[in-house]
Amino acid sequence: MKTKYILSSLFLGGCLLTASCVDKLDIGQHGVTTIDDFYKTDNDAEEAIMACYNEWKTVYQPAFWIKNLLSDDCYSGGESWTAASAQQLSTYTFDASFGNISSLYQNLFNVVYDANLILENVGEDSDIKRRARAEAKVFRAMAYIKLISLWGTPPLVDHVLSMSEYALPNGDPQTLWNFVNTDLTEAAESGDLSEKANVNDWTYRITKQFAQALLGKAYVYQGNYSNAATVLDEVISSQKYDLYDDFENIQTTKGEANCESMFESNYVYDANQVNSMSDMIWVYVHWRGDMLAFNEPTQIYSHGGWGFFNPTKEAYDAFVAEEGVDGYRLNASIKTYQQMRDMGISLNTAIAYMYDNAGYFSWKYRVYEEDVINLYWLRCPNNTRSMRYAEVLLLAAEAHVQGGIDSGKALQYINKVRDRARLAPLGSVTMDDIKTERRLELWMEGCRYQDLVRWGDAATTLANRGKERPALFEDGHVDWTLQTNAQAGFKANKHELLPFPTAEMNVNGNMTQNPNY
């Protein structure tokens, strides 16, 4: 539970005091600032909103695990087939006590709490304070877009709760979406958010166009395609963003702060945090270093990854079907085992095989050796991206097609994405075209699972997810018979939503668990 004190952590030992002792011990606490004394100045407002920016960083890692491993984008590799933290997701055998689900749920509500503190306590008597309030609304809405799309009916927390309000019931989906719409509309129309000076400028702060892009995404999720098309068209016509020309580094340190980034969390080198486990996503996502043999000139890539996210055969085949084996976007996203061997990277002959690998390696999220702070933990100050302009274009195309609004604009938007991927332009555009482009363009960026659910395709596409899992051998052959699980796979009327965490259900008698958990 959050305390009423800011920027401090206190432990108060229990004791029994007589009435005569209380007055003598009733002295002010040193080193703390109460809510009544904080939020008065511009500096206070800036410190408060920075807490939101910092808290948002904690969302990325559990969201990356959950949303990617629930999709058909990657296998849950690791040390063995008993790595439960990954396998339960990719086989759909998790339950309400699963750790990453609890972490993501809690971290999202921490963001909501920090935003509510600002909106209740920061005034509107300066530009800095008004900007903090507008940014807080965006953070609160960002958190709720994830909460609603993943859990369906999370409680609506629109203020800092008193103790008597802690056990809130499930929220109503339409009321929750209206809450998101209002926050983002008010923030975008406030005139208080930053805007880039030009397309090549960058700011770590939330911009008006990012708020609009989130609003457009929320409208698409709600099936409100007319409003989605209007607001997304406005983002595009602002000409504040464009597609980055180096797709091969779109998610590496070399592609940070580019013209395509709608919002990304900024990371810097910190010598005091070289052994920290607070952000280990890069050690998880990079190749399994101790199972690989590296030969020159591969020293430019880190040798310290754990290989928890290996591309699926289905994903690779989808790229090939659209782009061919030499496709630019394919080869900027995934490398085959043969391509790795041609670069001097192969399986170590001392191991029998690599778990959950069908002969493909992530290239999109590779880690450069020069960026590694600590080899084993692979601390890498790479910014984490929340949204790219390519997604804005594809969401706008979807809104126009689904809403039957302007097929010409939809075609223009999707062809812009295809042009960067070095593909021939389409002559017309269908929803199948948009589904294909979203799968390839946003591969392993945490979009696929929610896309399949909202399109009604999840039960079919993910029905056999995790039932057969591959093992890659040093000579390049793949065996699919070493590990099978007949109980695995997406179950309709259950896995469209995540379970509310056990810890939440145990303390909140007013909550109803999602179906079939």
Side-chain angles (χ1 to χ4, degrees), residues 49 52-53 56 111-112 114-120 122 124 129-145 157-158 179-193 206-207 210-211 214-215:
I49 193 59
C52 284
Y53 278 89
W56 186 253
V111 173
V112 172
D114 288 344
N116 283 338
L117 275 174
I118 292 169
L119 293 169
E120 286 194 14
V122 171
E124 300 183 56
K129 291 179 181 179
R130 287 190 292 272
R131 181 178 65 184
R133 291 180 58 84
E135 290 176 344
K137 289 180 181 180
V138 176
F139 275 115
R140 187 167 66 177
M142 257 204 296
Y144 263 106
I145 288 173
V157 182
D158 60 357
F179 181 58
V180 168
N181 299 343
T182 299
D183 264 356
L184 290 173
T185 300
E186 290 180 353
E189 295 178 354
S190 68
D192 298 318
L193 293 175
I206 285 173
T207 65
F210 177 55
L214 283 176
L215 179 58

Side-chain angles (χ1 to χ4, degrees), residues 83-336:
S85 59
Q87 309 303 340
Q88 290 180 26
L89 286 171
S90 65
T91 57
Y92 280 91
T93 55
F94 59 87
D95 59 23
S97 64
F98 186 73
N100 272 321
I101 291 176
S102 298
S103 294
L104 180 57
Y105 189 83
Q106 177 180 333
N107 294 350
L108 288 168
F109 271 112
N110 286 344
V111 173
V112 172
Y113 174 83
D114 288 344
N116 283 338
L117 275 174
I118 292 169
L119 293 169
E120 286 194 14
N121 294 286
V122 171
E124 300 183 56
D125 55 325
S126 75
D127 291 342
I128 289 176
K129 291 179 181 179
R130 287 190 292 272
R131 181 178 65 184
R133 291 180 58 84
E135 290 176 344
K137 289 180 181 180
V138 176
F139 275 115
R140 187 167 66 177
M142 257 204 296
Y144 263 106
I145 288 173
K146 279 186 167 57
L147 286 164
I148 303 166
S149 61
L150 291 173
W151 281 276
T153 59
L156 174 58
V157 182
D158 60 357
H159 62 282
V160 178
L161 302 179
S162 65
M163 291 183 66
S164 63
E165 298 176 293
Y166 285 166
L168 290 177
N170 301 73
D172 169 69
Q174 189 56 59
T175 301
L176 290 165
W177 279 121
N178 288 342
F179 181 58
V180 168
N181 299 343
T182 299
D183 264 356
L184 290 173
T185 300
E186 290 180 353
E189 295 178 354
S190 68
D192 298 318
L193 293 175
S194 300
E195 291 191 65
K196 296 202 307 178
N198 57 67
V199 70
N200 291 316
D201 191 17
W202 184 77
T203 174
Y204 71 89
R205 304 207 75 117
I206 285 173
T207 65
K208 171 185 175 180
Q209 285 72 32
F210 177 55
Q212 291 175 311
L214 283 176
L215 179 58
K217 184 172 186 171
Y219 280 141
V220 168
Y221 276 26
Q222 297 165 67
N224 187 339
Y225 300 117
S226 177
N227 283 355
T230 297
V231 70
L232 292 168
D233 284 350
E234 187 172 341
V235 176
I236 295 166
S237 64
S238 76
Q239 299 184 358
K240 301 282 188 179
Y241 299 85
D242 201 357
L243 297 182
Y244 185 50
D245 60 4
D246 182 11
F247 192 82
E248 190 173 26
N249 283 299
I250 200 75
Q251 290 289 347
T252 76
T253 54
K254 297 184 186 304
E256 290 179 332
N258 64 65
C259 61
E260 185 168 348
S261 181
M262 301 298 299
F263 179 66
E264 62 186 66
S265 295
N266 196 34
Y267 284 80
V268 296
Y269 172 78
D270 184 351
N272 296 316
Q273 297 294 321
V274 293
N275 294 313
S276 171
M277 294 179 65
S278 61
D279 177 27
M280 287 185 59
I281 191 60
W282 306 118
V283 71
Y284 293 135
V285 76
H286 192 59
W287 320 317
R288 183 65 195 263
D290 65 342
M291 290 187 173
L292 297 172
F294 290 79
N295 301 306
E296 296 290 351
T298 59
Q299 300 301 318
I300 62 173
Y301 304 117
S302 173
H303 301 178
W306 290 4
F308 279 13
F309 300 88
N310 298 316
T312 62
K313 184 179 186 301
E314 293 90 340
Y316 181 80
D317 289 347
F319 272 104
V320 171
E322 188 66 21
E323 303 184 5
V325 295
D326 295 322
Y328 167 73
R329 187 169 50 186
L330 164 59
N331 282 283
S333 302
I334 299 172
K335 296 295 187 189
T336 66

